[in-house]
Amino acid sequence: MRASRLALLMMIFGGQAMPASAAGAEPGWVGDIEPAAQEAVVVVEAFSAAIKAVRIAEASALLDPNVLVLESGGSERSREEYLSHHAQADAEYMK
């Protein structure tokens, strides 16, 4: 689970990928995802919703302490580093 969650978070913040809900997908779209990935997708959706609503503490609880976030050619190598550098800016961007 950690690897899947990490990979999905890296895709969202390291590239141009956006969660399906941000792209206007219909509710229940998770059923179209491979069963092995569904739990990770739900976590990423919850994280994205928390960041978008500027609920940083809630988003923080969904991140592994050792998460690697790749963003804009750089990286944050832990939850604390991400929260102290880009979480608030990401929240503003996703509003």
Side-chain angles (χ1 to χ4, degrees):
M1 171 55 189
R2 278 189 178 174
S4 297
R5 180 170 55 179
L6 174 60
L8 286 167
L9 288 171
M10 288 171 47
M11 288 187 335
I12 289 172
F13 291 106
Q16 299 303 312
M18 293 185 66
S21 63
E26 294 297 317
W29 66 272
V30 173
D32 295 336
I33 303 298
E34 291 291 323
Q38 287 180 2
E39 184 180 359
V41 171
V42 169
V43 170
V44 170
E45 283 293 301
F47 175 83
S48 296
I51 286 289
K52 187 175 181 178
V54 196
R55 295 188 312 259
I56 303 301
E58 184 179 326
S60 173
L62 295 166
L63 290 175
D64 186 272
N66 297 313
V67 68
L68 172 62
V69 178
L70 303 175
E71 183 173 33
S72 301
S75 66
E76 277 108 13
R77 299 181 181 272
S78 70
R79 174 177 54 202
E80 294 309 314
E81 186 177 357
Y82 171 71
L83 293 173
S84 68
H85 292 133
H86 285 110
Q88 192 66 42
D90 288 341
E92 293 299 319
Y93 175 78
M94 291 181 73
K95 278 187 178 178

